[in-house]
Every structure is written in structure tokens, then in C-alpha cells.
Amino acid sequence: MINNVSDIRIEDYDYPLPEERIAVHPLQERDSCKLLVRSGDGALSTRVFRELPGLLPSRSMLIYNNTRVINARLRFRKPGGGASIEIFCLEPVSPADYAVNFASDRSCSWLCFVGNSKRWKSGDLIMPLEIDGTSVTLTATRESRQGNASVIRFSWDNPAVTFSRIISAAGVIPIPPYLNRETEPSDSNDYQTVFSHIDGSVAAPTAGLHFTDEVLHAIDKAGMQRRELTLHVGAGTFQPVKSDSIGGHDMHSEFIAVSRDLIAELAVTDRPVIAVGTTSVRTLESLYHIGCLIYAGEWTGEVPQWYPYDDAHPRLSRKEALEAVVAALDSDGSSTLIASTRIIIAPGYDFKVVEGIVTNFHQPKSTLLLLVSAFIGGGWRQMYDYALAGDYRFLSYGDASLLLR
């Protein structure tokens, strides 16, 4: 494996994060947060996020994740006022396609975490709902167990109601566990980006939370391009690296969808590609590796975790790899690439698509911090020390950074 990436010690990516530096709520004005700018020569400066359009490289192509956070946390109570059972929806099982699942009108199945699971030994859970003035009864049935998760079948007694409407009425937004508070009504708006419109995530692509319509308008006015893609963020985004080296960490699989036209555009563009958030980075870089897998005749629908570092990787140019993806889509008559990725981006990774990143400040010893370090090199600690000394706010509702090379 190239550069022995799997031997990287996660302990080397730790830093002290005082609890008071974790932003529990966002600022009232999203674009008024601090923006730490790290230029290509490593210089650090503090700006305000609404200044971003004037700080991006000329003619940039800004690409963001359009996923929308669903009300994935459903709280049932056992019949007769018994124990509270929380069901946390992770990803669809049947139908497996997100859009088709959300359009289901009688029943569907999801892979879920079940809280207080020991108290739910048998039988169904029932939740009475009222949706647009109509009474609906939602039933949850445990079909099977998969490790520490369960496959739950949801069914309801009104075929005029889709699962999208069911979960919107029955669930709550699953805010990150490190906020150490219950979901509040304001999170329904605060924890969504202004460009979110494709349901599926159980966590927000948080770098996008700072954008406002005014900032997007200023980006357009500056002659830059805006494009979107989809990666549905899973609960694994909060999974800490518990092994001593990252070789012992299993990355979670995440659903991605990218239009054929965007992939073709990326193959030939001479504009600097700026990714909003680590989810967009993972998606864009996965496109390159999908093309290499197609070229090698090894594409099975998912980018393996360690494939970027495989000695047998064909190392195509970006243009060659992305054109291979376009050719495969054209052969199938598909207008959108639907795939999944387990890619881990760590120091030693060779970026092929992304030339700049807008991102937040991430948890110690996390795969997201590894990604930042891979992009800017050994300067991540200097940057984080700068942010800590400068009273920056950290994690999902915290401040932002612009990383350039």
C-alpha cells in the first residue's frame, strides 16, 4: 500500500478541544461567522464568511452537497405507556433507492439503530399520528438484526400518505451527539443548508450551513459557477477512530449521486474546483476512482476504502478517469451516476479533482481531520492552534475555514 497510509497513528491527530469551544447553536446570521483563510503558502488570516466570494480563486467552480437531513429519530412508546424506544433510521433497505423509499405509500424497511433495544423483545410498536388533519397509525416491526443495528419495517394504514410525510411528522432532526442537548424546534431550520432539497441524510453537510442566498448571489455575480451533487451523510460520520492506527478503522458506506453532465464538465474544466464540505470532497474524489475502477474492469458499485492507495491502481489522469465514467453512463443510457463510497482520505492521498475546500473545524482523532491534513499537509495543527487562540467556534454549528493550495 502506497506510503503505508494504513499505519498512520490516530493519536497524532489529537488536540485539546475545551467543551466551551463547541458551538451548541449557530449564530443568528449564518454568514456572519468567522472564516479562517489558509492560503497556498500556508499563511493564515481571519475574515468573515460573507466575504467568501471575494476570497475564492478567480473563475472558481463551487460544488456543494444538496442533501437534506431527514427527521431520522423516531420515538415510540411500548403499548400501555411502557418503555420509550427510539428508532434512528440510517439507510433504506426496501426499496433500497432513497427516492423510491420516500415515495412508498404503504410500507418500507430501513436499517436502524434501536435505543433501549433490550426493552423491545417482541411485538410491534405503534405511533398514532395526525398528518394534514388525517389520522394515521404508524407501525414498526423488527424484521432482523445486523450487528448492532436492526432492519425495521414501517407500515401505515393510509396509502394516501407517503413515507416522506410520515417521517416528517413522526420524527425529529438528529442533531450531533456532541452538542449534548435535545433537538429544539429551531434545529429544523438551523440544521439544513439553504441549498438542501434531496432527502436522505441523518447529519448535515455542515460546511454548507454558513451559506445564505446573499452569499450565493455574490458568487454568481463574481462570475463563478455553482454546481451540486448528492452524498447522503450517514451516522458513521460521527464514528470515532478507536484503533491505534487508521488501518484498523472501517469506513462507513455512503450513497452518492452525481449528474452525467457535471462529470463531463469536470473532465474538461480549467476552473479551480472548490468543494463545500468534506462530503463534497469525498464525492468528487470518488468520481476519479470510479473511473479508474471502470477502466480496470473492477467496478462493482462501491469505491473500496483503501483503493486510492492500492499499488495496482491505474493512476489515470482526471480527464481519462472522468471520461470513463461518462462513457459507462452513456452506454447504460443513464443521466445520473448512482454509487456508494467507503473512501478514506488521509495523509499520503493524491487529490485529483478538488483544488480548494470550504469546511468547518472537526473533532479530534476523526477521519475528517485526517482529510484536512491530507489536503494542507502537516500544517493542520498550526491552523487549529490559530483557531483555538482566536476564539473560533468548533464543530457543526461553529465557524468555517477556506483551504487553498
Side-chain angles (χ1 to χ4, degrees), residues 65-72 88-92 97-99 102 110 164 167 174 192 196-205 230-235 254-255:
N65 188 356
N66 62 17
T67 190
R68 182 171 178 81
V69 184
I70 61 173
N71 288 5
F88 188 169
C89 296
L90 300 176
E91 60 184 59
D97 181 275
Y98 279 85
F102 284 122
W110 280 68
S164 177
I167 201 169
Q192 302 283 9
S196 66
H197 62 94
I198 304 296
D199 285 343
S201 280
V202 300
T230 303
L231 181 145
H232 289 322
V233 188
E254 291 177 308
F255 168 97

Side-chain angles (χ1 to χ4, degrees), residues 76 87 106-108 120 123-129 136-142 152-157 163 166:
F76 288 81
I87 297 179
R106 295 178 186 275
S107 67
C108 59
W120 184 21
D124 295 338
L125 301 177
I126 307 295
M127 182 188 298
L129 300 169
V136 181
T137 300
L138 174 65
T139 301
T141 305
R142 178 146 48 190
I152 305 296
R153 172 161 290 277
F154 298 104
S155 58
W156 53 99
D157 59 359
F163 186 63
I166 289 284

Side-chain angles (χ1 to χ4, degrees), residues 112-163:
C112 305
F113 288 143
V114 178
N116 207 11
S117 180
K118 292 181 180 179
R119 303 296 298 275
W120 184 21
K121 295 180 180 179
S122 62
D124 295 338
L125 301 177
I126 307 295
M127 182 188 298
L129 300 169
E130 184 167 307
I131 301 175
D132 297 334
T134 301
S135 295
V136 181
T137 300
L138 174 65
T139 301
T141 305
R142 178 146 48 190
E143 295 189 320
S144 63
R145 298 176 187 266
Q146 292 188 13
N148 60 350
S150 298
V151 175
I152 305 296
R153 172 161 290 277
F154 298 104
S155 58
W156 53 99
D157 59 359
N158 186 342
V161 178
T162 64
F163 186 63

Side-chain angles (χ1 to χ4, degrees), residues 255-294:
F255 168 97
I256 62 175
V258 186
S259 72
R260 179 256 183 223
D261 289 347
L262 175 55
I263 299 169
E265 190 174 15
L266 286 167
V268 298
T269 188
D270 61 351
R271 292 174 177 261
V273 176
I274 311 298
V276 176
T278 57
T279 62
S280 296
V281 174
R282 283 164 48 76
T283 305
L284 290 167
E285 293 297 316
S286 292
L287 293 178
Y288 168 78
H289 298 292
I290 290 170
C292 291
L293 286 163
I294 291 170

Side-chain angles (χ1 to χ4, degrees), residues 56-76:
L56 293 171
S58 176
R59 301 177 62 253
S60 289
M61 179 187 290
L62 190 76
I63 303 180
Y64 45 73
N65 188 356
N66 62 17
T67 190
R68 182 171 178 81
V69 184
I70 61 173
N71 288 5
R73 183 168 280 137
L74 292 82
R75 295 189 175 101
F76 288 81

Side-chain angles (χ1 to χ4, degrees), residues 256 258 260 263 285-304 307 312-332 334 336-340:
I256 62 175
V258 186
R260 179 256 183 223
I263 299 169
E285 293 297 316
S286 292
L287 293 178
Y288 168 78
H289 298 292
I290 290 170
C292 291
L293 286 163
I294 291 170
Y295 173 85
E298 299 175 355
W299 177 236
T300 60
E302 181 175 86
V303 182
Y307 181 67
H313 195 295
R315 312 294 161 195
L316 304 179
S317 68
R318 179 171 85 178
K319 185 174 187 293
E320 290 170 331
L322 297 188
E323 286 183 344
V325 180
V326 172
L329 290 172
D330 289 346
S331 177
D332 292 341
S334 301
T336 304
L337 171 72
I338 304 295
S340 59

